[in-house]
Amino acid sequence: MQRICLFPGTFDPVTLGHTDIIDRAVDLFDELIIGIGVNSTKVPMFTVEQRVAWLQEIYKHQPKIKVSAYEGLTVNFCKKVNAQFILRGIRYVADFEYEKGIADMNRKIDPTVETIFLTCSPEFSTIASTLVRDVIRNGGDATQFLPKEVAAAIKTMDLQNK
């Protein structure tokens, strides 16, 4: 049986913290699906299409990685794509406490899906999409926090009022 893993998130924008987790996890699974969750109550800074395109560009030479957007419960999307694992990145203890609650809920909904936690590399532990968005909105240079594909695209956009 293939080991298929879903790495869910908003990836708004994709950061080096995200790619650190993806790059280190890809060899653990036969297939790694990056799932961009669409939440109708949240207004993202970047479109779903833009985020999908960034991740597809970053991982265009990695056949084990697929990118897809989804709505609804993550465990339901796992069933749809036959994923037996959910991957979550952990930066700090507070992340673990929050993520463990979600993992416990998911396990109750579908005990066949296991959540795997991977701690980020120390040099990326302070990178959070929320903080990166604030830097971008306020005209700062977020290049050091972003994959080159994302940084290049953002430089061409007018985002200070978003």
Side-chain angles (χ1 to χ4, degrees):
M1 180 162 85
Q2 276 210 316
R3 293 167 311 182
I4 301 172
C5 181
L6 174 67
F7 183 34
T10 55
F11 305 98
D12 186 36
V14 180
T15 70
L16 291 175
H18 295 128
T19 57
D20 171 57
I21 296 294
I22 294 164
D23 294 345
R24 291 176 33 243
V26 69
D27 290 334
L28 301 174
F29 305 99
D30 298 309
E31 184 176 316
L32 180 60
I33 301 166
I34 303 170
I36 300 175
V38 177
N39 184 335
S40 60
T41 63
K42 290 185 179 178
V43 179
M45 186 172 201
F46 302 98
T47 66
V48 171
E49 295 79 14
Q50 178 65 75
R51 291 176 275 155
V52 167
W54 281 334
L55 286 160
Q56 287 174 333
E57 176 64 22
I58 292 165
Y59 293 106
K60 66 184 174 191
H61 299 298
Q62 179 48 268
K64 289 170 62 171
I65 294 178
K66 298 191 175 26
V67 183
S68 183
Y70 73 97
E71 292 184 57
L73 294 175
T74 299
V75 289
N76 290 346
F77 187 64
C78 284
K79 280 183 189 149
K80 183 177 175 183
V81 297
N82 298 314
Q84 307 93 351
F85 304 96
I86 295 172
L87 174 66
R88 297 301 297 157
I90 301 290
R91 292 172 300 177
Y92 298 108
V93 173
D95 285 351
F96 176 76
E97 291 173 355
Y98 173 75
E99 294 292 346
K100 184 182 182 320
I102 295 170
D104 290 347
M105 184 72 70
N106 286 338
R107 186 176 296 110
K108 292 228 183 243
I109 294 170
D110 187 345
T112 67
V113 177
E114 191 64 54
T115 300
I116 308 289
F117 298 113
L118 194 59
T119 59
C120 69
S121 298
E123 62 268 31
F124 304 116
S125 65
T126 59
I127 300 174
S129 291
T130 305
L131 299 175
V132 173
R133 284 193 305 272
D134 286 345
V135 170
I136 295 166
R137 273 193 195 101
N138 290 292
D141 182 4
T143 305
Q144 64 182 314
F145 310 115
L146 302 167
K148 65 183 183 318
E149 298 85 350
V150 177
I154 287 175
K155 282 185 180 183
T156 67
M157 299 175 181
D158 178 21
L159 298 169
Q160 290 183 6
N161 298 319
K162 232 178 170 191

